[in-house]
Amino acid sequence: MRGSPGATRARGTGRPAPRRDQTMSFLLLVEQALNGLQLGVTLFLIAAGLTLVLGIMNLVNLAHGSLYMLGAFFAASFARLTGSFALAVLLSIAASALVGLLVELVVLRHLYRRDHLDQVLGTFGLILFFNELTKIAWGPMALFVDVPPALSGRVELIPGAPYPVYRLVVLAAGLAVAAGLWWLITRTRLGMLIRAGASNREMVGALGIDIDRLYTAVFALGAALAAFAGAMAGPLYVVEIGMGDAILIKVFVVIVIGGIGSIRGAFVAALLVGMVDTFGRILPSLAGLPSALAEMAVYVLMATVLFFRPTGLFAARG
Amino acid sequence: MSPRLDRRAAVAIGLMALLAILPLVATWLDQGFYVGQLRRVLIFAIAAVSLDIILGYGGMVSLGHAAFVGAGAYVVALLHWHADRGIEVLGILPGTMQSLATIPAAMLVAALLALAIGAISLRTSGLYFIMITLAFAQLVYFLFVSLRFEDAGRSYGGDDGLRYPADVTVLGLVDTTNDLGFYFVVWTVLALVLLGAQRLVRSRFGVVLQGIRDNERRMRAIGFPTNRYRLVAFVLSGAIAGLAGALLALHESYVSPSLMHWTRSGDLVVMVVLGGMGTLFGPVIGATLFLLLEKFLPDFTEHWMIVFGPLLVLAVLFARRGLIGLFDKRGEEARDGGH
Amino acid sequence: MAATDALLEARGLVKRFGGLVATDQLDLSVRRGEIHAVIGPNGAGKTTLIGQLTGELRPDAGTILFDGADVTALPAPARARLGIARSFQITQIFRRFTVLENVMLAVQAREPHAFRFWKDARRDEALAAPARSVLEETGLAASAGRLAGALAHGEQRQLEIAMALATSPRMLLLDEPMAGMGREESERMTALLRRLKARETILLVEHDMDVVFALADRVTVLVYGRAIASGTPDEIRANPEVRTAYLGEDEAA
């Protein structure tokens, strides 16, 4: 009905597991590990915003994936228009953040006080809206974004194992952003407010901080991060409607495992999920089992973690 | 019974009567197509009512309910397919098209799945519960996507789903080929489910469930093992969803994993909430409206979603009591399950 | 098995929240048939103590004995079924149910949990009759049909007690039953507690000193999570450490 099932299935690292014999398995491992880290970093960028919004505003925002999707679509269009990938990424972040702010002002603001069910339904409606809007604006077909020529090609980090430059760039960019986020959270006043808000919302309000502006700032930050992830993801994965929903569930898994409201938890969990998902993918094909089982690995991981720690690994609030 | 409940009962009876008359009219007018459409509505209504038990009365926001519907459907589908080909399921279980076996089997499998998922999910609460049910829905979805079978060139599996013959005599009463007859079987099942669910939510078990929804801390303090009650409700609800799935499989002669995609679970939640959660009949109204809109709006515009999405948002913001709330007089205090 | 004099005993309870020690090597014993009051300034850890005694919180160290049996590891519902009933400082009732239904739920909790799915619980006389007598006892009989959420604050506090009573407890843990009550309501509550004193063992957390000294057989004083003194009300009144702890505190109810 909405094309999502196909999108969910077609997710992947974009490369088939190369056929190598046993002696090359170490290099295979390294390659997959890098893939796993890159996926993890992408997940973290999306998860960071979502977990902050959850932890501070207590808002379940199913439409967060839509911001990731918009980031990818905007970047694809801007890249075509301007011919510069870097510019396209920046413009796409700006555009998506703007859309995000609009959504926050018009819809989400009214949902803060509601219970989670209302938020789920409301943001579910937003997903439907954005998916359709994207279809109208960009057409129903998937878009393909080329890796920018400057970043195409491979580099041999380990002799004998060429690895795509672009993926390294994504990995590095993601880690840089993660570091920047860490600095923001731990070293700035805004970050302190965010941390305080994550563990005790009422307190922050009582301290006389303009809660509305804090919320908007947090939301905008999250939107920017998600859009950035989407923009960077364009050349790696297929840019299609529903790509946001597909990755959103993995992001939820990350947040749940990491603990709601915890950036640190989101980081650890994102890398973990990225690795499990990537390695989980090659195992079934090695064992001759249907590849769809690979998709389950992440959920089995989540079920296991929650079985032992029902509030995740690093819950910000008891 | 309060006037409000009397009014709601009247609405329910009226609508059920309408749902009984419409297919007769449609057949008489030679518009048999609508009988099938309405039958599908009734089947999803059963699933929606089952969700209302845990959502409206139990306060459990599950985004994975479609998994149970799908599981029930697949059980029937598999048993039929294997019976048709004369091959055993997993090499041991002979296929069958006997509905007296397939339908209970579907309900049992769905119940067991609910037991497994519930045992883990119900250890969490609030936000974590919502997300874990969502993830489990995906888990089950991918499980069924990876379900493949091949024998002598005939196969099923993956995204393509499964086609199988579905001409059976349902519960020894009516053939599925008899459109109207099968319709009334489903109608009766819905009526029985509604009556049964009503007794359930008013029973000792039901009031405990609602108490847990309203104040779990208090319930534990007076001595109720709240997780156990919730798990039982979850399993019962899953079994009824499995029943809906079984009927769906008989209705359509085709199943695919998309039945279990999390967006279908989202649809079920929308049906329950828009119809009016915690009312049992609200979900029937919700399912009816949702499916009719889904079927017939696209004829007006390809991009009907762009209207439906914001409509949903508006409904959440302003029409919280759901459609059944429209039948209430203004200012009546919400009780008995409603928000 | 020798019947101990103490119905509820806490030995060496310790509870930490991060760096904060909320309960610090606390010993407490409540004798059968007595009203034992726990008092202390704000932040002394009274609610944390109740939480551990009822099973909502797990102590980091120490044991809790109920009628000689070690219940430290038992979760709250299990302890409630053993006969430990509690009322909450912040009213925890079922606002959408009627007063009678609230108490009927509590009555139902005492029955073994064989799930009953069919019979209408609200017309179940086996639940309604005991519930009505508890309402009589707590002075709420007139409000039986009203929605709990519609009651006045004082009546809601009475309902709190009623629900605890309806579980046929062997012991009551009352967390500031007078919280937020006016003079008249407080007097009614005191009278109720005095009536209950005859047949219930009660652990009472309270701020209102008049009530404490009027009702309690023994008093334990909590300061920063430690029991600094325990004895009869007169002994406590005379205790210099206690006086210091309360110096400057306005103890008006």
Side-chain angles (χ1 to χ4, degrees), chain B residues 40-55 62-76 102-115 117 140 144 186 189-190 193-194 197 200 232-250 255 259-260 264-265 268-269 271-272:
Chain B
R40 191 159 177 273
V41 165
L42 292 185
I43 291 173
F44 276 97
I46 295 173
V49 171
S50 77
L51 179 58
D52 196 23
I53 294 174
I54 57 170
L55 177 58
S62 166
L63 281 182
H65 210 66
F68 308 127
V69 177
Y74 259 86
V75 167
V76 170
T102 60
I103 295 183
M107 292 178 73
L108 181 66
V109 169
L112 289 173
L113 187 63
L115 182 64
I117 293 180
V140 172
F144 278 94
V186 175
V189 171
L190 175 61
V193 165
L194 280 169
L200 181 75
V232 171
F234 200 74
V235 170
L236 280 173
S237 163
I240 301 175
L243 171 61
L247 292 172
L248 189 65
L250 291 174
V255 294
L259 256 182
M260 292 172 270
R264 291 265 74 171
S265 292
L268 283 172
V269 174
M271 288 180 213
V272 172

Side-chain angles (χ1 to χ4, degrees), chain A residues 1 9 114 118 132 307, chain B residues 123 159 294 303 317 320:
Chain A
M1 188 178 95
R9 184 181 58 88
R114 300 293 199 100
D118 286 357
E132 201 58 40
F307 188 78
Chain B
R123 300 170 121 248
D159 280 358
E294 186 191 64
H303 299 295
L317 289 179
R320 214 29 200 83

Side-chain angles (χ1 to χ4, degrees), chain B residues 31-333:
Chain B
Q31 299 285 322
F33 165 73
Y34 291 103
V35 176
Q37 287 306 305
L38 282 174
R39 193 166 60 218
R40 191 159 177 273
V41 165
L42 292 185
I43 291 173
F44 276 97
I46 295 173
V49 171
S50 77
L51 179 58
D52 196 23
I53 294 174
I54 57 170
L55 177 58
Y57 291 91
M60 297 175 248
V61 183
S62 166
L63 281 182
H65 210 66
F68 308 127
V69 177
Y74 259 86
V75 167
V76 170
L78 286 171
L79 288 172
H80 279 220
W81 193 94
H82 283 263
D84 184 52
R85 305 292 197 274
I87 311 164
E88 277 95 28
V89 183
L90 297 175
I92 28 167
L93 195 69
T96 170
M97 293 187 29
Q98 295 294 322
S99 66
L100 280 168
T102 60
I103 295 183
M107 292 178 73
L108 181 66
V109 169
L112 289 173
L113 187 63
L115 182 64
I117 293 180
I120 301 178
S121 308
L122 289 169
R123 300 170 121 248
T124 67
S125 62
L127 216 45
Y128 292 97
F129 180 75
I130 298 177
M131 304 221 243
I132 197 176
T133 54
L134 184 58
F136 268 120
Q138 284 297 86
L139 191 78
V140 172
Y141 170 79
F142 285 117
L143 195 67
F144 278 94
V145 166
S146 63
L147 185 72
R148 278 173 199 285
F149 184 82
E150 195 154 338
D151 178 87
R154 289 171 301 191
S155 68
Y156 60 74
D159 280 358
D160 303 324
L162 178 54
R163 280 189 195 284
Y164 50 91
D167 295 341
V168 294
T169 310
V170 184
L171 301 171
L173 298 168
V174 170
D175 277 358
T176 52
T177 47
N178 180 340
D179 255 358
L180 255 187
F182 186 30
Y183 180 91
F184 280 106
V185 169
V186 175
W187 187 97
T188 310
V189 171
L190 175 61
L192 289 174
V193 165
L194 280 169
L195 288 171
Q198 190 184 58
R199 291 225 71 120
L200 181 75
V201 298
R202 289 184 185 173
S203 72
R204 287 197 183 198
F205 179 82
V207 289
V208 170
L209 195 65
Q210 293 182 69
I212 295 174
R213 174 200 64 197
D214 283 354
N215 197 332
E216 185 182 2
R217 195 175 176 208
R218 214 353 155 173
M219 291 301 275
R220 289 178 70 76
I222 54 182
F224 284 106
T226 53
N227 280 345
R228 210 187 303 168
Y229 275 86
R230 282 209 242 140
L231 185 58
V232 171
F234 200 74
V235 170
L236 280 173
S237 163
I240 301 175
L243 171 61
L247 292 172
L248 189 65
L250 291 174
H251 164 84
E252 302 223 299
S253 192
Y254 169 71
V255 294
S256 90
S258 67
L259 256 182
M260 292 172 270
H261 195 254
W262 73 272
T263 45
R264 291 265 74 171
S265 292
D267 292 347
L268 283 172
V269 174
V270 171
M271 288 180 213
V272 172
V273 177
L274 282 196
M277 59 187 246
T279 61
L280 289 181
F281 201 76
V284 177
I285 302 177
T288 308
L289 208 72
F290 184 92
L291 288 170
L292 291 180
L293 278 179
E294 186 191 64
K295 188 75 196 174
F296 296 114
L297 260 190
D299 292 343
F300 286 99
T301 163
E302 191 197 329
H303 299 295
W304 66 284
M305 270 301 177
I306 206 141
V307 173
F308 188 74
L311 220 71
L312 181 54
V313 176
L314 287 172
V316 167
L317 289 179
F318 300 113
R320 214 29 200 83
R321 262 209 252 161
L323 289 165
I324 207 168
L326 293 175
F327 295 102
D328 293 345
K329 274 223 191 90
R330 281 183 162 275
E332 261 173 340
E333 209 182 308

Side-chain angles (χ1 to χ4, degrees), chain A residues 186-242:
Chain A
T186 54
R187 295 269 186 270
T188 67
R189 188 158 179 271
L190 173 65
M192 183 198 68
L193 287 174
I194 290 175
R195 269 181 297 140
S199 48
N200 193 333
R201 214 171 314 120
E202 286 82 27
M203 242 344 229
V204 175
L207 288 172
I209 309 293
D210 187 339
I211 277 288
D212 280 340
R213 280 214 275 153
L214 179 65
Y215 282 12
T216 308
V218 170
F219 191 79
L221 178 64
L225 289 169
F228 177 60
M232 297 297 273
L236 287 175
Y237 314 129
V238 178
V239 176
E240 58 188 341
I241 299 161

Side-chain angles (χ1 to χ4, degrees), chain A residues 60-275:
Chain A
V60 187
N61 181 15
L62 291 186
H64 196 78
S66 300
L67 291 165
Y68 167 79
M69 174 182 74
L70 284 175
F73 272 93
F74 274 132
S77 287
F78 285 130
R80 209 163 295 169
L81 276 173
T82 66
S84 158
F85 185 71
L87 192 61
V89 171
L90 288 171
L91 286 173
S92 128
I93 293 177
S96 310
L98 208 69
V99 172
L101 279 174
L102 255 159
V103 170
E104 201 258 341
L105 269 153
V106 175
V107 178
L108 296 180
R109 207 160 263 221
H110 302 284
L111 288 177
Y112 292 148
R113 296 200 176 284
R114 300 293 199 100
D115 63 28
H116 290 317
L117 177 60
D118 286 357
Q119 294 170 354
V120 162
L121 288 174
T123 53
F124 186 64
L126 285 176
I127 294 181
L128 301 180
F129 174 73
F130 277 118
N131 278 351
E132 201 58 40
L133 192 69
T134 309
K135 197 193 282 188
I136 294 177
W138 279 279
M141 306 305 290
L143 294 182
F144 293 92
V145 183
D146 294 322
V147 177
L151 300 176
S152 62
R154 293 153 178 261
V155 81
E156 290 200 10
L157 282 183
I158 297 178
Y163 192 72
V165 172
Y166 187 69
R167 280 184 185 262
L168 282 176
V169 169
V170 173
L171 179 55
L175 287 174
V177 171
L181 197 60
W182 177 83
W183 175 83
L184 178 78
I185 297 284
T186 54
R187 295 269 186 270
T188 67
R189 188 158 179 271
L190 173 65
M192 183 198 68
L193 287 174
I194 290 175
R195 269 181 297 140
S199 48
N200 193 333
R201 214 171 314 120
E202 286 82 27
M203 242 344 229
V204 175
L207 288 172
I209 309 293
D210 187 339
I211 277 288
D212 280 340
R213 280 214 275 153
L214 179 65
Y215 282 12
T216 308
V218 170
F219 191 79
L221 178 64
L225 289 169
F228 177 60
M232 297 297 273
L236 287 175
Y237 314 129
V238 178
V239 176
E240 58 188 341
I241 299 161
M243 65 189 284
D245 318 337
I247 205 162
L248 183 74
I249 302 204
K250 295 227 177 83
V251 171
F252 272 149
V253 172
V254 166
I255 292 179
V256 165
I257 292 179
I260 291 174
S262 167
I263 296 278
R264 182 178 23 149
F267 188 70
V268 171
L271 293 182
L272 188 62
V273 169
M275 295 296 242

